[in-house]
Amino acid sequence: MNSPHNLQLFPGSAAAHWLTQLRTASPLVHCLTNQVVQNFTANVLLALGASPAMVVARQEAGDFSAIASGLLVNVGTLNETQVEAMLLAVASANGAGVPWVLDPVAVGGLGYRTDFAHRLLTMQPAAIRGNASEIMALAGFSSAGRGVDSTDDSLDALPAAVELANRCGAIVAVTGAIDYVTDGQTCYALPFGDPLMTRVVGTGCALSAVVAAFLSLDKGKRLELVACACMVMAFCGGAAAKESAGPGSFVPRFLDLLYQLQPEHLMGKTL
Amino acid sequence: MNSPHNLQLFPGSAAAHWLTQLRTASPLVHCLTNQVVQNFTANVLLALGASPAMVVARQEAGDFSAIASGLLVNVGTLNETQVEAMLLAVASANGAGVPWVLDPVAVGGLGYRTDFAHRLLTMQPAAIRGNASEIMALAGFSSAGRGVDSTDDSLDALPAAVELANRCGAIVAVTGAIDYVTDGQTCYALPFGDPLMTRVVGTGCALSAVVAAFLSLDKGKRLELVACACMVMAFCGGAAAKESAGPGSFVPRFLDLLYQLQPEHLMGKTL
Amino acid sequence: MNSPHNLQLFPGSAAAHWLTQLRTASPLVHCLTNQVVQNFTANVLLALGASPAMVVARQEAGDFSAIASGLLVNVGTLNETQVEAMLLAVASANGAGVPWVLDPVAVGGLGYRTDFAHRLLTMQPAAIRGNASEIMALAGFSSAGRGVDSTDDSLDALPAAVELANRCGAIVAVTGAIDYVTDGQTCYALPFGDPLMTRVVGTGCALSAVVAAFLSLDKGKRLELVACACMVMAFCGGAAAKESAGPGSFVPRFLDLLYQLQPEHLMGKTL
């Protein structure tokens, strides 16, 4: 499966390897994220075997990101207090060599967060994870986004993702029915998700935290690690959706599957 | 079933009609709500087919409410930052003709939120949704409320609801074991809920967001649309309670039923 | 079972007695807690039969804690606004004779919250509830904590708990695989929990709120009441873990069991 962007399926064997590493390392993920998804994000990280911490004050955010394994910056409910803490945390993470992830929630139509996201783009994120509308807006492509919804297809945003990756040196993941992950050269396609995941708040935001967890495992393998994060989440999400009567029963089942997931499941064994 | 307030049962056929409209429109609901219930509120809206967005900064709240379909203002964890964002959002919603809903959580005993709620009352809410103690306090009737609990029966608050509706031109919903919805003339009674819903935080707060979602469908049908929101939530809540072993299993079942609900269920077909 | 600290098993009959009292009193618990666990904390209190309220503004926090049954102060996502509200609430609670509980989340490595926790220690908390690393740090013992994780065993922290209890006059609960509760003389051991509870965010934070609820029942029985709170939570948590496929299904099952729990279950009847 080839394309102008050298599109490849991500190998389950690689995901299996890194899942084992994640469980051993139990990375500490500093989450500066939006108010709506903090609980779910923490529970996703804990279920998977990582360790979440939400240290939000400007007095502590910088100190903490330097000792964390990875940092998440999500602008979903951005406010002035958070802007200050995020800038301190990012600077400190960069100083300490801690990878950080940008989740540009609803960037595009809203000026305050869009300006801030563009400022963050200059601060060397290791990865950016958004839906099609967000990635297109961040890359300066026109989009049809409305608030936190993506009204664009993830494949339509692939050129924007490639452009953004090349411009700022980050791995870019554009997620949707199929997830695409690119370093500007190679693109992985991950066709494991389920539309039911869009009816549960925070599945994308939690994925961004999981990206930060995986990125902490090896600085030389960023493309592979971001793809691995997307695969693990979409794989468990797709499996949970098939067993769920709706978005309510999806959540506990999804968390149970993240907890139960073993490397062999990513290589073909039924979860 | 008649009364001094012209009390009527709300027809399931009307609710069925508007549910179909809601699913088609997928209204974008701007939620300025309390910290405790943001996740649940978002998941309720998503399960039902609406689209939630929590845009909280004063830099963005006004711009966003003008493009939203409806706005919710819930004072449950009111603070100074939120007061500023809420005033901007309400003014902008009013300017753009976007209906907004006031949820006066724990108004009565606590001066800061009570003063602010009275200020909001002068800003033309399309609807007000509260428990008996809150509606009585807001209308200036004496009540026995304690924090967020209602110690008054919803029927006892009906005169206060009627008075409040007439005074400020809003539809008023007073919810409890039975919900009552009035425009000051006609009152609908909705006897579908279950006491278990009071053991789950945020069922009332999420209802207020659903009221905002329904109100966006037709400005000329406000009384009917608020009653419809109450009926849909109480109907699914009552059904979920019957199938639940407690408040823990209630939540996923409730969300699943909101997702599965079809118009014919509101007209007598078993959910 | 004796030890240098006069270690005893806590009697189920006492827990059964106080559970009945809690259900009758339905204490109103003012929770000033972290952003991540507010929803879960509220649902735990509601499921058990208490009444939660999160009143966060400095304009209201003092007035409200004076009329509450108990107050929780949790520094997990401490910020400047919260510091001000917490100091007002604690002073007001002390003035009104309302017991308050300190949850020193991640105290130790982070200076801002550690300094604030030490300040709070001088303000007469009725109880302190933390994991081993937090209690050791608060007592000035060396620890191996990392963020919100405890890397120390709860038994290792017992000397620190005893020292802290004697120094500040609070009941100290150090929770982990086994919970220990001490007034500086007598120590109760509560071996009912399950490691799965550490994979769900907020089980410890919610316990601290439940401690505040139980403490409101009788000012002369603080040691017994804190132990009772720990027993109820660990008992239901242990039972829920045994029936759960993972941390996702644990949450609804745990809340259902808190709701279903009867005094006789604490005296040996199968839950």
Side-chain angles (χ1 to χ4, degrees):
Chain A
M1 182 173 174
N2 273 283
S3 83
H5 301 297
N6 188 21
L7 199 55
Q8 305 176 26
L9 282 171
F10 186 69
S13 57
H17 168 74
W18 291 115
L19 176 64
T20 303
Q21 300 297 308
L22 184 88
R23 294 268 167 77
T24 303
S26 187
L28 179 60
V29 183
H30 185 190
C31 301
L32 294 176
T33 190
N34 73 69
Q35 302 164 7
V36 187
V37 304
Q38 295 202 84
N39 185 275
F40 183 64
T41 301
N43 276 332
V44 163
L45 288 170
L46 285 170
L48 196 54
S51 181
M54 281 70 173
V55 175
V56 301
R58 62 178 174 80
Q59 291 89 344
E60 298 182 334
D63 285 349
F64 193 68
S65 66
I67 61 162
S69 313
L71 169 66
L72 166 66
V73 174
N74 172 310
V75 301
T77 54
L78 195 69
N79 59 45
E80 285 161 312
T81 308
Q82 221 179 13
V83 161
E84 192 180 357
M86 286 171 172
L87 291 173
L88 290 165
V90 166
S92 175
N94 283 343
V98 173
W100 71 276
V101 176
L102 173 61
D103 188 328
V105 177
V107 158
L110 298 164
Y112 181 60
R113 70 183 65 202
T114 302
D115 291 348
F116 184 62
H118 282 292
R119 181 170 176 189
L120 289 172
L121 275 191
T122 68
M123 297 177 76
Q124 302 173 307
I128 302 165
R129 201 287 319 161
N131 65 34
S133 298
E134 292 157 354
I135 295 301
M136 290 168 80
L138 202 59
F141 289 48
S142 65
S143 122
R146 184 190 72 157
V148 296
D149 285 341
S150 181
T151 47
D152 300 292
D153 189 83
S154 53
L155 187 57
D156 295 339
L158 190 48
V162 169
E163 155 74 13
L164 192 59
N166 283 317
R167 192 192 310 159
C168 71
I171 308 300
V172 178
V174 50
T175 58
I178 301 175
D179 298 341
Y180 298 95
V181 180
T182 182
D183 61 357
Q185 301 296 317
T186 300
C187 298
Y188 288 117
L190 301 119
F192 301 101
D194 189 285
L196 187 62
M197 298 174 78
T198 64
R199 303 294 282 271
V200 176
V201 76
T203 51
C205 298
L207 167 55
S208 298
V210 171
V211 168
F214 274 99
L215 277 175
S216 70
L217 299 177
D218 188 332
K219 281 162 203 180
K221 303 279 188 180
R222 291 191 305 154
L223 174 64
E224 189 171 325
L225 289 164
V226 176
C228 180
C230 293
M231 183 172 182
V232 163
M233 290 285 280
F235 186 85
C236 290
K242 279 172 195 58
E243 301 172 28
S244 300
S249 46
F250 173 86
V251 169
R253 190 67 191 129
F254 178 55
L255 292 170
D256 282 356
L257 291 180
L258 288 171
Y259 177 78
Q260 295 167 1
L261 183 70
Q262 296 302 325
E264 54 267 33
H265 297 129
L266 296 165
M267 299 172 70
K269 189 181 168 195
T270 304
L271 180 59
Chain B
M1 181 174 174
N2 271 283
S3 85
H5 301 297
N6 187 21
L7 199 56
Q8 304 176 27
L9 282 171
F10 186 69
S13 55
H17 168 74
W18 291 115
L19 177 64
T20 302
Q21 300 296 309
L22 185 89
R23 294 266 167 77
T24 303
S26 187
L28 179 61
V29 183
H30 184 189
C31 302
L32 293 176
T33 189
N34 73 71
Q35 301 165 6
V36 187
V37 303
Q38 294 202 84
N39 185 275
F40 183 64
T41 301
N43 276 332
V44 163
L45 288 171
L46 285 169
L48 196 55
S51 180
M54 282 69 174
V55 175
V56 302
R58 63 179 173 81
Q59 291 89 344
E60 298 182 335
D63 286 351
F64 192 67
S65 65
I67 61 164
S69 312
L71 169 67
L72 166 65
V73 174
N74 173 308
V75 300
T77 55
L78 194 69
N79 59 45
E80 285 160 312
T81 308
Q82 221 180 13
V83 161
E84 192 180 358
M86 286 172 173
L87 290 174
L88 290 165
V90 166
S92 175
N94 283 342
V98 173
W100 70 276
V101 176
L102 172 62
D103 188 328
V105 177
V107 158
L110 298 163
Y112 181 60
R113 70 183 64 202
T114 303
D115 291 347
F116 184 62
H118 281 292
R119 181 170 176 189
L120 289 172
L121 275 191
T122 68
M123 297 176 77
Q124 302 172 308
I128 302 165
R129 201 289 317 163
N131 66 33
S133 299
E134 292 157 354
I135 295 301
M136 291 169 80
L138 202 57
F141 289 48
S142 66
S143 121
R146 186 190 71 157
V148 297
D149 286 340
S150 181
T151 48
D152 300 292
D153 188 84
S154 53
L155 187 58
D156 296 339
L158 190 48
V162 169
E163 154 76 12
L164 192 59
N166 282 316
R167 195 194 308 160
C168 69
I171 308 300
V172 178
V174 50
T175 58
I178 301 175
D179 298 341
Y180 298 95
V181 180
T182 183
D183 61 358
Q185 301 294 318
T186 301
C187 297
Y188 287 117
L190 301 117
F192 300 100
D194 189 285
L196 188 61
M197 298 175 77
T198 64
R199 303 293 282 270
V200 176
V201 76
T203 50
C205 298
L207 168 55
S208 298
V210 171
V211 168
F214 274 100
L215 276 175
S216 70
L217 299 176
D218 188 333
K219 281 164 201 177
K221 303 278 187 180
R222 292 191 304 153
L223 174 64
E224 189 170 325
L225 289 163
V226 175
C228 180
C230 292
M231 183 171 181
V232 163
M233 289 287 278
F235 186 85
C236 292
K242 279 171 195 58
E243 301 172 28
S244 300
S249 47
F250 172 86
V251 170
R253 190 66 191 129
F254 179 54
L255 293 169
D256 282 356
L257 291 181
L258 288 171
Y259 177 77
Q260 296 167 0
L261 183 70
Q262 295 302 325
E264 54 267 33
H265 297 130
L266 296 165
M267 298 172 71
K269 189 182 167 194
T270 304
L271 180 60
Chain C
M1 182 174 176
N2 272 284
S3 85
H5 300 298
N6 187 22
L7 199 55
Q8 305 177 27
L9 283 171
F10 186 69
S13 56
H17 168 74
W18 291 116
L19 176 63
T20 303
Q21 300 296 309
L22 185 88
R23 295 265 167 79
T24 304
S26 187
L28 179 61
V29 183
H30 185 189
C31 301
L32 294 175
T33 190
N34 72 70
Q35 301 164 7
V36 186
V37 303
Q38 295 201 84
N39 186 275
F40 183 64
T41 301
N43 276 332
V44 163
L45 288 171
L46 285 169
L48 197 54
S51 181
M54 282 68 173
V55 175
V56 302
R58 63 179 174 81
Q59 291 89 344
E60 297 182 335
D63 286 349
F64 193 67
S65 66
I67 60 163
S69 312
L71 168 67
L72 166 67
V73 175
N74 173 308
V75 301
T77 54
L78 195 69
N79 60 45
E80 285 160 311
T81 308
Q82 220 179 13
V83 161
E84 192 181 356
M86 286 171 172
L87 291 173
L88 290 165
V90 166
S92 175
N94 283 342
V98 173
W100 71 276
V101 176
L102 172 62
D103 189 328
V105 177
V107 159
L110 298 163
Y112 181 61
R113 70 184 65 202
T114 303
D115 291 348
F116 184 62
H118 281 292
R119 181 170 176 189
L120 288 172
L121 275 191
T122 69
M123 296 177 78
Q124 301 173 307
I128 302 164
R129 200 290 318 164
N131 66 32
S133 298
E134 291 157 354
I135 296 301
M136 289 168 82
L138 201 58
F141 289 48
S142 65
S143 122
R146 185 190 71 158
V148 296
D149 285 341
S150 182
T151 47
D152 300 292
D153 189 84
S154 54
L155 186 58
D156 295 340
L158 190 48
V162 168
E163 155 74 13
L164 192 58
N166 282 316
R167 194 193 309 159
C168 69
I171 308 301
V172 178
V174 50
T175 58
I178 301 175
D179 298 342
Y180 299 96
V181 180
T182 183
D183 61 359
Q185 302 295 317
T186 300
C187 297
Y188 288 116
L190 300 119
F192 300 100
D194 190 284
L196 187 61
M197 297 174 78
T198 65
R199 304 294 281 272
V200 176
V201 77
T203 51
C205 298
L207 167 55
S208 298
V210 171
V211 168
F214 274 99
L215 277 175
S216 70
L217 299 177
D218 189 332
K219 281 162 201 178
K221 303 279 186 180
R222 292 191 302 156
L223 175 63
E224 190 170 325
L225 289 163
V226 176
C228 180
C230 292
M231 183 171 181
V232 163
M233 289 286 278
F235 187 85
C236 291
K242 279 171 194 61
E243 302 171 27
S244 300
S249 46
F250 172 86
V251 170
R253 190 67 191 129
F254 179 53
L255 292 169
D256 282 355
L257 291 181
L258 289 171
Y259 177 77
Q260 295 167 2
L261 183 71
Q262 295 302 325
E264 54 266 34
H265 297 129
L266 296 165
M267 299 173 70
K269 189 182 169 195
T270 304
L271 179 60

